[in-house]
Every structure is written in structure tokens, then in C-alpha cells.
Amino acid sequence: MPNIGPMELVIVLAIALIVLGPKKLPEVGRSVGKGMREFKDSLSGDSRDDDDERALKAD
């Protein structure tokens, strides 16, 4: 697997900025971050929804 250096990272970010535009880029970043967080939580078995469901069942 090739190493990704700072120059490659700058090129990828510049292309993303050109393609998506400055207004859409933060929204896409949030969406990707949220998706990665949900994926990580599903792998580890953590789920905030499970806690909410347990609280509702207790009532």
C-alpha cells in the first residue's frame, strides 16, 4: 500500500474543494465524519439508540 504524503493530501483536498465548492465542503465533511462514527460504533457494539430504547422500556 503506498504511503500518502502531505503533497498527495493537499492535491486531494484541492480537488475536493474544486469539485464540491467551499459551501458544500463542510457539510460533506460532517456527513463523512458522522458515517465513520456510526460505522465504528456498530463494529464496537456501542449504540446510543440502544440506551434510548432501554430508557423507554423502563418507563
Side-chain angles (χ1 to χ4, degrees), residues 27-57:
E27 182 181 325
V28 171
R30 278 190 292 274
S31 298
V32 169
K34 184 178 178 183
M36 289 174 61
R37 191 176 317 115
E38 288 177 0
F39 180 73
K40 185 183 101 178
D41 288 346
S42 69
L43 288 178
S44 66
D46 292 343
S47 177
R48 294 182 190 130
D49 295 337
D50 290 343
D51 295 338
D52 294 341
E53 290 175 9
R54 288 183 197 143
L56 290 174
K57 289 180 182 178

Side-chain angles (χ1 to χ4, degrees), residues 3 5 9-10 12-13 15 18-19 23 26-27 31-32 36 43 47:
N3 292 332
L9 189 59
V10 168
V12 169
L13 291 175
I15 291 171
I18 291 169
V19 170
K23 292 183 180 179
E27 182 181 325
S31 298
V32 169
M36 289 174 61
L43 288 178
S47 177

